[in-house]
Amino acid sequence: MQTLSYGDVKAAVERVADRVRPVVIAPAGDREAGHELYLALEFLQHTGSFKARGARNFLQAHRESGTLPAAGVTIASGGNAGLACAWAARQAGVRATVFLPETAPRVKVERLRGYGAEVRLVGAEYAEALAACEAFAAESGALASHAYDHPLIAAGAGTLLEEIRERIPGLDTVVVSVGGGGLFAGVATAAREHGIRTVAVEPENCRALDAALAAGAPVDVPVDSVAADSLGARRVSAAALEAARHDGVRTLLVPDAEIVRARQALWDDRRLVVEHAASTALAALSGGAYRPERGEQVCVVLCGANTDPSDLMR
């Protein structure tokens, strides 16, 4: 297992400086509630999610080490990770080849092509696209990237915590959604260095981290949630499991109804449009699963906004 350290996050900070958008922090607390709440608007990031940080760190690290091949980078993902990989490759001036199942929505295909990626449609399921991606990497020499299970990807995500801490010097707790665990592993690793608590939030029916903690190792889980398009990893990364075992980390599960309610409230009350993966973190507070202590300074990461907003307009 490749370990993830705070040094990895600090190195990523240097690599992505001036290459990603600095996070915007919005005060969102009700003083009468007795605690201070902030929202990290990371959905304003390039490509609409935090994934741009990891993708940029991944490619820049390989460029610095001379291991970025002429064949470019490849990934199997039609979601946020694929978009981030294609964007980062264009910024780095290298080719990106993205594999998707043939059933992928045309809008995703066109957006990837808009970032300059070569899109290859293979098979009816993600597993077939992934197998084709792995075969392509082996045959072409292209650098294989991953949506979340790589220390460079997770370290890039961890740069977000460093920015949040600069903007909220007295931060006590950061709340993040968890799918495969790249964002959580990076943020928790950086947070631990500064004595900041991390709350990891999963949908009740996409509980890869929760199951790994119970089993003592990453295990496959079924996924069935309104947030499964982004948080539907069947197995959490080993780095995420390791991060969750440290003191100062709390893991929580929230029902889909609370995720939907939190997303709608962000639109109704603040005119913020986010994907269900982002509102999963907020649902821990709005639904009562996490109750901050009096005086606690809490920041909730709104990690992405690649969503169809039509169901919010009521």
Side-chain angles (χ1 to χ4, degrees):
M1 179 186 75
Q2 292 178 287
T3 60
L4 179 67
S5 70
Y6 180 63
D8 295 326
V9 176
K10 289 297 289 182
V13 169
E14 296 299 320
R15 291 193 196 102
V16 306
D18 301 323
R19 292 185 170 95
V20 298
R21 291 173 180 157
V23 69
V24 175
I25 302 296
D30 179 355
R31 294 281 182 172
E32 295 180 1
H35 63 270
E36 295 185 43
L37 178 64
Y38 301 87
L39 302 176
L41 310 186
E42 183 62 3
F43 61 85
L44 298 175
Q45 188 55 257
H46 292 289
T47 75
S49 88
F50 75 95
K51 297 281 190 181
R53 294 176 180 269
R56 201 68 177 92
N57 185 52
F58 179 81
L59 286 176
Q60 187 64 23
H62 279 283
R63 165 159 282 174
E64 291 174 359
S65 64
T67 54
L68 187 56
V73 63
T74 186
I75 191 171
S77 171
N80 291 339
L83 292 170
C85 181
W87 168 81
R90 185 176 69 177
Q91 298 304 308
V94 298
R95 285 169 35 194
T97 306
V98 181
F99 286 79
L100 302 174
E102 294 172 353
T103 53
R106 178 174 293 275
V107 64
K108 287 187 176 181
V109 173
E110 293 306 316
R111 191 169 179 199
L112 284 164
R113 287 175 175 156
Y115 282 127
E118 178 182 345
V119 178
R120 299 194 181 187
L121 303 176
V122 179
E125 298 180 356
Y126 171 76
E128 294 174 85
L130 176 60
C133 178
E134 292 172 344
F136 172 77
E139 294 167 4
S140 68
L143 178 65
S145 185
H146 196 279
Y148 59 87
D149 195 4
H150 193 286
L152 288 170
I153 298 293
T159 63
L160 176 60
L161 189 280
E162 295 294 281
E163 292 181 14
I164 292 172
R165 190 179 69 89
E166 289 177 358
R167 290 157 179 74
I168 314 173
L171 180 66
D172 296 301
T173 306
V174 61
V175 185
V176 298
S177 304
V178 182
L183 175 62
F184 163 67
V187 165
T189 297
R192 184 169 67 250
E193 180 73 14
H194 302 296
I196 296 169
R197 292 184 291 269
T198 304
V199 177
V201 189
E202 295 178 286
E204 286 183 343
N205 296 322
C206 285
R207 53 170 71 193
L209 179 58
D210 180 72
L213 284 167
V219 293
D220 287 341
V221 298
V223 294
D224 181 18
S225 168
V226 68
D229 59 337
S230 292
L231 302 183
R234 294 192 177 275
R235 178 179 290 235
V236 78
S237 71
L241 175 57
E242 177 62 24
R245 287 171 166 158
H246 285 274
D247 292 339
V249 174
R250 182 173 176 184
T251 60
L252 298 172
L253 300 173
V254 293
D256 272 12
E258 290 297 339
I259 295 171
V260 171
R261 190 173 295 117
R263 178 172 176 264
Q264 187 68 51
L266 282 168
W267 169 251
D268 291 341
D269 301 340
R270 306 180 188 278
R271 283 302 186 257
L272 296 179
V273 178
V274 302
E275 57 192 79
H276 288 105
S279 63
T280 297
L282 185 60
L285 280 84
S286 59
Y290 184 74
R291 298 184 183 278
E293 299 176 359
R294 189 163 192 82
E296 185 174 350
Q297 293 196 57
V298 182
C299 183
V300 176
V301 175
L302 301 182
C303 57
N306 289 316
T307 185
D308 180 355
S310 62
D311 57 349
L312 292 170
M313 314 307 176
R314 63 183 188 184

